[in-house]
Amino acid sequence: MLRNFTNRLFTSFTEDQPIAPLAVLRIAFGAIMLISTIRFVLKGWVHDFYIAPKYFFSFVEWIRPMGAAGMYSIFALMAIACFCIMTGLFYRLAVGIYFLCFCYVELLDKTYYLNHYYFVSIFAFLLFLVPANRYFSLDVLRKPSLKVTHVSGWTINVFKTQLCIVYFFAGVSKLTYEWMIQAMPLRIWLPAHSQIPVIGGLLTQSWVAYAFSWFGAIFDLVIWIFLLKKSTTKYAYIFVLVFHVFTAWFFKIGMFPYIMICVTMVFFSSEFHQQLINRVRNTFGKKNAAEPVVAWHLRPAVQNAMCCMLVVYFFFQLILPFRYLLYPGTLLWTEEGYRFSWRVMLMEKGGTAFFYVKDPATGGRSEIDNARYLTPMQQQMMETQPDMILQYAHFLSETYKKKGIKDPVVTVESYVTLNGSGSRLFIDSTVDLAKEYESFQSKKWILPFQTKK
Amino acid sequence: MKRFTSYITAGIALTLATAIFSCNKKSDDNKTSTPDFDRKAMLTNWGNNIVAPGFQNLNTAVTDLDAAIADFNQAPDGTKLAALQSKLTSAYQKWEVCEPMELGLADQDLLNVNANTFPASVTLINQNIAAGSYSLSAVSNLSAKGFPALDYLLLGAGTTSADILAAYTTDANATNRKKYLADVSADLKSMVSAVSASWSSAAAITAFVNASGTDVGSSLGQMINKMDFDMDVLKNAKMGIPMGKQSMGQLFPEKTEAYYNGISASLMVAQVQAIQNIYLGKSSAGDGVGLDDYLVAINAQYNGGTLNDAIKAQFDATIGALQAVSDPFSANVTSANAGTAYTQVQKLLVLLKTDMPSALGVMITYNDNDGD
């Protein structure tokens, strides 16, 4: 049984498959990301997020914004790259550029970290590895010799695998006491939408919050199985549609539901994708002539290297969400090992943080008006995330050093509420954060989250 | 394949079950349903009984003040000056009621910075008076107009009442100063009248009530946002800066609100009482639907009790502590009572800014963004 399974798995990654799903995926991804990029610019977020702020919570110290002209150029470049991905023009170059630009922008400030941005980055990375432009693309039109009809199975299956991981881990992360037994945070969020016509009244019922929580968890945990199984893909996709449209309607999660709706199409059969392409061709008045079979393969040595790389990649994908187990304390409270783990919509968290800078020489102390340095959104995000609190404390230390204070002592009195727990002290207010440093070690100065009786 | 799938399904069901039953915490006494809370009823109460009357009262006060200023300018004397000063105090009190609800046209017109940017710039005011020409609508003149400018002109233009009167009678710039006083008053009056007129229209109330969601643009979201912002102004600008909280202990008593009138502490009390009334939904029409009822309806908890009880108690503690601060606040910035009041204000701020919005699921980010 097991051997049978591994064999099947292996062959599905090596045997030739029609390229149609890959071409459709490329078009869908390019199109939705083009819309996403334009939307971002039109909302004024390039200015609000990457030009206006005085300080940036960068992931990597030396990755900094490039000013208005630079930032708008990056976004223009991304839009062009998306267009090229969609149409399959200079595809590898375009997707490479898109990947680099997108990662650059995401690394600029933790404030705007979203799982779906992480998802887009890794999807772009995976797209860079595959020849998605070798069918139904401008590259083929430009250079017909590029055209192939079949590709090695892995080029399509990496995307399916990635999506399975996303859904499954999103489901696993919901298997908590808060989500399943207390229906938190949906019990807070759903009643807040009670003005919605017709079903509004239902949303204040707590059984509805339970139903949503359980449905959400079970959906995430099992949907990938039904997407994979040929006979149920269709029905599973309907669930995907309903689920994501619903979440898009209820929660402010931007483009994420639409991105998922687009990319999960990859689970459909190659016949389905071929029909889709043929239909488009027909509307442009092209005949669908029978195509000679041409298969795309990597050279064996490269294929082996690629295989090794992918094994390592997916190994990390599988263990990354569990790294939180290495840290003590409540995950949602400390957020140590929280990011890059497909934890979505799990918490209603709010905080207020009062920072103090003390001059050890005189004993004088200043309270910081955070609004002087941070945008409201940066404040809001920083106030509940320890690594950002630490980053900001170091920034304050540097700022006061420049004002001529030697070794300023930076402390914070911060109050945080998690899933309706009621606010309580979050960070040890006696610790000089200027002397604490970011590392993979657990942050001892985060006070434990005790559930009060 | 079929068998494989059923294995997986069974495995997941098992994981699910284990995860749930391994949570060996006792299930707390969950209420099985959250009673319906009528947000529209709360918004109607706010609109009709708190916001609209608040701006109408302010409008009456500044109109009255403006007429008195015109009368004073005709023939300035000590009696009229004293009357003016008391009318200003009264208008200031009405202002504190409106400050936490900079909504609708008040928000569009940036009423708060136009009416109450303090401390007033004495230099700028005197430059304007000497020049005789100025544009009060210019951003550069924000600290030379509004209540703080009137405070200086009517109570700070000289050390004694006689000196102040002299500034409007015998002083070389007396004519210009009278004109400036009238212009500042007219500017304030016209802004307040416009906002008051807008909130007095049924259309404004309807629009306010109909934005009954909980997102960033909703009336509830905006109200909480403005309340919290005003609490920040109280803590940082009205108390923190004068008390040297942001300057390594260096005091700035002259940066208190209504410095020349010396009524800062009583204004702070009025402001917190105004916020309390919004919270409670309380007005001259009685104790209507407010955030207190909302928090009770959703059974919000805090530290073993209800969040509503915690907030109500903290309002009382804060108002009590502020009442214990003597006026003029500028002379008492280092007093123990001021220190206590500051701590209480901070506690109230945390409850209103962190616990309340989080319990309500209200979006109070000023910036629109994708959540996750």
Side-chain angles (χ1 to χ4, degrees):
Chain A
M1 156 80 202
L2 188 67
R3 172 178 276 182
N4 185 16
F5 171 64
T6 42
N7 277 346
R8 287 178 62 116
L9 199 67
F10 183 74
T11 42
S12 75
F13 272 75
T14 51
E15 75 184 357
D16 287 351
Q17 288 182 23
I19 192 175
L22 206 50
V24 173
L25 181 68
R26 182 201 81 219
I27 296 167
F29 182 82
I32 195 77
M33 292 326 295
L34 179 61
I35 294 169
S36 188
T37 310
I38 293 171
R39 170 177 177 265
F40 199 95
V41 176
L42 290 183
K43 288 222 172 201
W45 289 347
V46 178
H47 175 266
D48 292 352
F49 296 176
Y50 301 115
I51 297 167
K54 299 185 186 102
Y55 175 73
F56 297 92
F57 289 93
S58 54
F59 275 94
V60 186
E61 197 53 48
W62 48 270
I63 296 186
R64 297 265 144 211
M66 301 188 292
M71 292 315 294
Y72 280 110
S73 307
I74 290 276
F75 276 83
L77 195 59
M78 282 202 281
I80 296 168
C82 286
F83 181 79
C84 290
I85 294 169
M86 181 176 77
T87 53
L89 180 65
F90 305 115
Y91 170 75
R92 295 276 182 147
L93 181 67
V95 77
I97 287 175
Y98 182 74
F99 171 71
L100 291 176
C101 291
F102 195 89
C103 288
Y104 164 72
V105 171
E106 290 326 303
L107 291 174
L108 287 175
D109 198 325
K110 289 175 188 168
T111 306
Y112 317 110
Y113 168 81
L114 292 177
N115 280 294
H116 93 253
Y117 291 150
Y118 170 50
F119 176 80
V120 170
S121 326
I122 61 179
F123 235 67
F125 167 72
L126 294 175
L127 275 170
F128 179 71
L129 305 178
V130 300
N133 60 327
R134 286 176 166 249
Y135 191 72
F136 200 53
S137 71
L138 292 181
D139 277 341
V140 169
L141 213 61
R142 187 169 63 85
K143 201 172 162 194
S145 64
L146 284 175
K147 183 174 176 177
V148 296
T149 57
H150 287 72
V151 283
S152 309
W154 67 265
T155 61
I156 296 166
N157 289 336
V158 285
F159 296 100
K160 293 185 186 176
T161 313
Q162 185 63 59
L163 282 165
C164 292
I165 289 174
V166 172
Y167 279 118
F168 181 66
F169 280 102
V172 169
S173 73
K174 291 185 174 73
L175 298 179
T176 61
Y177 182 76
E178 288 82 5
W179 184 274
M180 304 297 293
I181 307 294
Q182 295 183 316
M184 278 291 188
L186 289 183
R187 254 170 87 174
I188 294 176
W189 288 340
L190 292 181
H193 292 276
S194 62
Q195 82 285 359
I196 290 176
V198 190
I199 59 160
L202 276 180
L203 300 177
T204 57
Q205 306 283 317
S206 63
W207 69 264
V208 176
Y210 278 96
F212 275 49
S213 295
W214 279 68
F215 175 76
I218 294 169
F219 170 85
D220 280 341
L221 280 172
V222 303
I223 191 68
W224 57 281
I225 299 167
F226 299 99
L227 282 168
L228 279 178
K229 214 163 131 42
K230 278 198 181 101
S231 58
T232 53
T233 306
K234 234 188 301 181
Y235 308 106
Y237 190 74
I238 292 171
F239 270 92
V240 167
L241 265 177
V242 171
F243 179 80
H244 287 303
V245 166
F246 227 69
T247 55
W249 184 30
F250 270 89
F251 309 112
K252 273 187 74 66
I253 46 177
M255 297 298 292
F256 179 64
Y258 309 107
I259 295 173
M260 291 308 273
I261 287 170
C262 282
V263 296
T264 38
M265 275 176 38
V266 76
F267 285 99
F268 281 115
S269 66
S270 51
E271 292 81 20
F272 169 85
H273 287 98
Q274 192 63 58
Q275 277 169 15
L276 214 61
I277 289 173
N278 291 348
R279 203 168 292 167
V280 175
R281 279 183 174 154
N282 285 336
T283 53
F284 285 97
K286 295 240 170 139
K287 282 266 155 56
N288 294 300
E291 294 166 318
V293 171
V294 186
W296 175 92
H297 296 123
L298 286 172
R299 275 176 290 129
V302 182
Q303 170 123 339
N304 286 343
M306 180 68 81
C307 184
C308 291
M309 207 263 316
L310 287 174
V311 168
V312 172
Y313 170 82
F314 282 114
F315 173 72
F316 275 104
Q317 280 291 316
L318 291 175
I319 62 162
L320 220 51
F322 290 113
R323 72 187 188 284
Y324 80 94
L325 292 172
L326 300 174
Y327 294 100
T330 313
L331 172 64
L332 298 185
W333 181 252
T334 66
E335 298 196 35
E336 293 183 295
Y338 186 81
R339 295 191 191 103
F340 312 112
S341 306
W342 315 117
R343 299 178 200 286
V344 272
M345 313 287 305
L346 291 182
M347 54 182 182
E348 166 60 48
K349 202 175 182 186
T352 312
F354 307 106
F355 283 83
Y356 301 97
V357 177
K358 198 169 126 187
D359 182 349
T362 66
R365 191 173 86 148
S366 270
E367 187 182 325
I368 305 301
D369 179 8
N370 297 332
R372 271 182 71 177
Y373 304 107
L374 305 177
T375 64
M377 184 159 177
Q378 286 179 315
Q379 289 180 52
Q380 202 191 16
M381 288 299 170
M382 175 274 288
E383 283 163 343
T384 58
Q385 300 181 45
D387 60 338
M388 293 174 74
I389 287 179
L390 182 64
Q391 229 173 331
Y392 182 55
H394 279 263
F395 162 74
L396 291 175
S397 164
E398 290 309 313
T399 307
Y400 275 78
K401 271 181 197 160
K402 279 180 204 144
K403 289 185 180 182
I405 292 173
K406 206 164 167 278
D407 295 326
V409 175
V410 183
T411 54
V412 65
E413 188 181 335
S414 72
Y415 298 90
V416 168
T417 172
L418 172 62
N419 286 340
S421 68
S423 63
R424 53 195 68 178
L425 211 54
F426 184 42
I427 302 292
D428 185 342
S429 58
T430 62
V431 167
D432 177 7
L433 293 175
K435 294 200 173 56
E436 299 293 329
Y437 294 91
E438 182 63 44
S439 73
F440 288 118
Q441 299 248 307
S442 153
K443 297 177 173 61
K444 302 266 188 297
W445 37 267
I446 305 173
L447 295 174
F449 177 70
Q450 279 134 353
T451 315
K452 291 188 179 144
K453 292 283 159 188
Chain B
M1 190 66 192
K2 208 169 233 170
R3 198 184 294 170
F4 169 62
T5 315
S6 47
Y7 278 129
I8 296 263
T9 318
I12 281 163
L14 202 67
T15 321
L16 201 78
T18 323
I20 291 158
F21 292 113
S22 66
C23 300
N24 52 358
K25 296 179 194 173
K26 267 178 280 168
S27 184
D28 45 9
D29 56 330
N30 288 332
K31 292 256 174 82
T32 46
S33 82
T34 315
D36 262 320
F37 178 78
D38 188 356
R39 275 199 295 273
K40 283 194 172 181
M42 179 172 71
L43 296 177
T44 310
N45 180 36
W46 276 350
N48 285 330
N49 300 326
I50 295 180
V51 183
F55 284 113
Q56 284 155 5
N57 290 341
L58 176 64
N59 187 39
T60 309
V62 295
T63 307
D64 191 26
L65 177 68
D66 191 63
I69 285 173
D71 185 40
F72 170 80
N73 278 350
Q74 292 276 319
D77 66 37
T79 325
K80 285 178 184 168
L81 179 63
L84 266 189
Q85 291 169 339
S86 89
K87 280 183 198 297
L88 175 63
T89 303
S90 154
Y92 236 131
Q93 301 274 0
K94 305 281 191 300
W95 163 254
E96 297 300 331
V97 175
C98 297
E99 200 181 72
M101 45 197 203
E102 192 190 28
L103 303 162
L105 190 64
D107 184 35
Q108 283 169 37
D109 287 357
L110 306 173
L111 185 62
N112 286 13
V113 287
N114 277 290
N116 198 24
T117 295
F118 66 92
S121 168
V122 173
T123 321
L124 198 54
I125 292 173
N126 285 327
Q127 272 173 13
N128 286 343
I129 291 172
S133 75
Y134 35 80
S135 163
L136 288 180
S137 53
V139 177
S140 56
N141 273 328
L142 282 179
S143 56
K145 64 186 245 179
F147 283 105
L150 292 174
D151 178 49
Y152 166 72
L153 289 167
L154 294 176
L155 291 123
T159 35
T160 64
S161 289
D163 289 344
I164 298 172
L165 192 59
Y168 294 92
T169 47
T170 55
D171 185 80
N173 278 327
T175 313
N176 277 7
R177 189 168 286 107
K178 285 195 284 190
K179 180 173 178 292
Y180 195 73
L181 176 65
D183 288 346
V184 169
S185 170
D187 173 74
L188 181 64
K189 187 186 121 183
S190 82
M191 290 198 81
V192 170
S193 311
V195 171
S196 169
S198 152
W199 272 106
S200 300
S201 75
I205 302 283
T206 309
F208 181 70
V209 171
N210 284 339
S212 63
T214 48
D215 52 346
V216 178
S218 66
S219 297
L220 176 64
Q222 285 187 14
M223 182 65 109
I224 292 181
N225 215 345
K226 292 293 183 178
M227 264 168 70
D228 288 346
F229 186 81
D230 205 41
M231 279 299 297
D232 256 332
V233 170
L234 170 65
K235 181 179 158 289
N236 290 327
K238 297 188 181 182
M239 303 186 84
I241 290 173
M243 291 168 73
K245 293 282 183 191
Q246 299 182 13
S247 48
M248 295 284 169
Q250 193 193 339
L251 305 175
F252 292 101
E254 72 283 4
K255 291 191 177 177
T256 47
E257 188 185 26
Y259 171 68
Y260 300 98
N261 206 339
I263 53 168
S264 319
S266 74
L267 291 181
M268 292 192 282
V269 172
Q271 184 194 351
V272 177
Q273 280 170 339
I275 296 173
Q276 186 187 33
N277 285 338
I278 297 170
Y279 176 78
L280 297 171
K282 213 164 153 180
S283 65
S284 54
D287 186 355
V289 190
L291 290 163
D292 56 338
D293 304 291
Y294 198 171
L295 289 178
V296 168
I298 61 169
N299 193 28
Q301 297 296 305
Y302 178 82
N303 209 359
T306 71
L307 182 56
N308 177 42
D309 286 342
I311 292 178
K312 282 206 299 199
Q314 192 53 42
F315 264 119
D316 291 340
T318 307
I319 291 168
L322 283 169
Q323 279 167 339
V325 179
S326 313
D327 264 327
F329 179 50
S330 55
N332 292 302
V333 288
T334 54
S335 67
N337 284 348
T340 312
Y342 186 78
T343 310
Q344 297 298 341
V345 166
Q346 176 157 323
K347 284 185 182 167
L348 181 60
L349 179 70
V350 171
L351 288 172
L352 294 182
K353 206 174 165 177
T354 295
D355 290 275
M356 186 172 75
S358 197
L360 297 176
V362 171
M363 303 277 277
I364 61 159
T365 351
Y366 314 74
N367 241 327
D368 186 34
N369 183 42
D370 297 348
D372 186 270

